[in-house]
Amino acid sequence: MTEVFILSGFLGSGKTSMLTWLIRQAKEEGLKPGVIMNELGELAFDSDAVQDGVPLKEILNGCICCTGSEKTESQMQALLHENVDIIFIETTGAAHPVEVLDAVHSPLFGDKLDVKGIVTVADGKRYLASDSMTPQVRMLFIEQIRHAGFILLNKSDLLTDSGKAEAVMGIQSLNPGARIVETVNSRVPLSALRSMAQQPSGTSVQKAGIGSHLPIGTRLVTFSRPVSRDHFEDWIRTLPETVYRMKGYVPLEGKKYPSLFQYAYGMVQWIPEYMNMPANLVLIGEGLSGIRVPGAGDE
């Protein structure tokens, strides 16, 4: 049977870093991994993290849990036809993990899958600041922790010892049955996940997907000119807390190609690119319509 892991966690928590690390370990163990990647927008920026030769299926412009169950079924079948040994499903950060679990189970191939369960990446600093979230967003953040069989307390290097203790105790109170591991860059042994037993949930699921109760949305902007990196980072510091995640390719002054840009809760990452990628940026959050992006056509 093909093992399946659902990688859950709020926007910017480190799911893609975990996926990259798990793919590497699977290949080192002689396994053939396959990936289903879910993005809210029309472009799949995170798909660049999947190595060449790894079968990748994408579900774009909607959550698996809301609009993508039929797509999920067809993508799973396609991966099974490619004889993969292990499947990683990276969900959008706005997906309710139990609804994703329901979407994965299908009578068409249920006897071919060993669904190990839900692995949730929890950003430690974000957890400690969860009281500042809007109620609906906080509900989803907590639900992703509550329904996991395995939890990564990620970015633990950014926490003090007392902060780590507070986060671990709080997460344990939400989900006493899950194993909790402190990680940096979401590095967790694949062997630890493979030993995980699926934890059936006995609690009811309140739908929290895009288009129902959760007000998170996405916006795609296209750059019309290069921007100063300093000016762009000054603009980032003015953003409201309701902008949870940004990712894309930003054309910088003095650079031949747009740079890969990642943003999550005030933290920024730039990665140089060596090919001409499309100069697009995806914003994920609440109340995005009034935000003007430097260098974009809407500025």
Side-chain angles (χ1 to χ4, degrees):
M1 297 177 70
T2 302
E3 294 182 345
V4 179
F5 295 90
I6 297 171
L7 311 183
S8 175
F10 202 63
L11 302 160
S13 59
K15 294 188 303 298
T16 303
S17 297
M18 175 172 61
L19 173 64
T20 304
W21 179 239
L22 293 176
I23 289 172
R24 176 180 171 182
Q25 292 180 81
K27 295 179 75 172
E28 288 175 351
E29 293 182 20
L31 300 171
K32 181 180 180 179
V35 174
I36 294 179
M37 188 169 285
N38 183 204
E39 294 276 10
L40 289 181
E42 297 176 358
L43 300 177
F45 290 111
D46 286 343
S47 63
D48 296 335
V50 179
Q51 303 168 15
D52 291 339
V54 175
L56 168 67
K57 308 299 177 183
E58 295 169 338
I59 299 175
L60 304 179
N61 218 11
C63 278
I64 289 176
C65 56
C66 300
T67 60
S69 58
E70 292 183 2
K71 294 179 183 177
T72 306
E73 193 172 85
S74 63
Q75 304 290 42
M76 292 288 285
Q77 285 184 299
L79 286 179
L80 290 172
H81 281 306
E82 296 195 47
N83 297 316
V84 298
D85 300 306
I86 189 167
I87 296 174
F88 301 112
I89 302 176
E90 183 188 343
T91 67
T92 167
H96 192 296
V98 177
E99 294 178 32
V100 175
L101 192 61
D102 290 341
V104 170
H105 287 283
S106 168
L108 296 178
F109 43 72
D111 59 339
K112 299 178 181 178
L113 300 180
D114 177 14
V115 182
K116 303 294 288 186
I118 297 165
V119 182
T120 292
V121 186
D123 180 329
K125 290 190 71 174
R126 191 63 183 167
Y127 173 81
L128 294 177
S130 60
D131 287 343
S132 64
M133 297 177 178
T134 60
Q136 290 166 312
V137 171
R138 185 173 185 272
M139 179 196 74
L140 175 62
F141 185 79
I142 290 173
E143 289 289 282
Q144 290 173 337
I145 292 172
R146 183 174 290 152
H147 293 284
F150 198 107
I151 300 170
L152 278 62
L153 178 61
N154 196 35
K155 306 180 185 179
S156 60
D157 55 323
L158 303 179
L159 300 178
T160 63
D161 289 343
S162 61
K164 290 179 188 177
E166 181 183 349
V168 169
M169 289 180 63
I171 290 172
Q172 284 178 333
S173 69
L174 292 171
N175 188 341
R179 181 179 175 186
I180 304 171
V181 176
E182 296 177 13
T183 58
V184 177
N185 295 324
S186 302
R187 293 206 165 195
V188 61
L190 176 59
S191 58
L193 301 188
R194 297 187 75 192
S195 64
M196 176 177 65
Q198 182 176 336
Q199 299 292 328
S201 173
T203 58
S204 62
V205 177
Q206 180 177 353
K207 285 186 176 292
I210 300 301
S212 52
H213 299 294
L214 193 67
I216 294 177
T218 65
R219 185 169 152 226
L220 174 68
V221 298
T222 300
F223 291 91
S224 57
R225 59 176 177 80
V227 297
S228 159
R229 175 168 169 172
D230 289 342
H231 176 50
F232 197 79
E233 292 187 352
D234 287 342
W235 167 76
I236 290 169
R237 285 188 278 272
T238 70
L239 290 173
E241 293 184 358
T242 51
V243 178
Y244 303 124
R245 183 89 159 94
M246 293 188 291
K247 53 188 175 180
Y249 296 96
V250 179
L252 296 176
E253 293 176 352
K255 300 291 184 181
K256 183 176 181 181
Y257 301 120
S259 296
L260 176 61
F261 171 77
Q262 302 268 2
Y263 166 89
Y265 310 113
M267 292 193 294
V268 169
Q269 182 182 34
W270 295 94
I271 301 176
E273 279 291 338
Y274 300 98
M275 63 180 67
N276 195 24
M277 305 301 290
N280 295 319
L281 182 71
V282 171
L283 289 75
I284 303 176
E286 304 173 61
L288 302 176
S289 60
I291 294 175
R292 298 292 175 260
V293 181
D298 63 355
E299 187 182 24

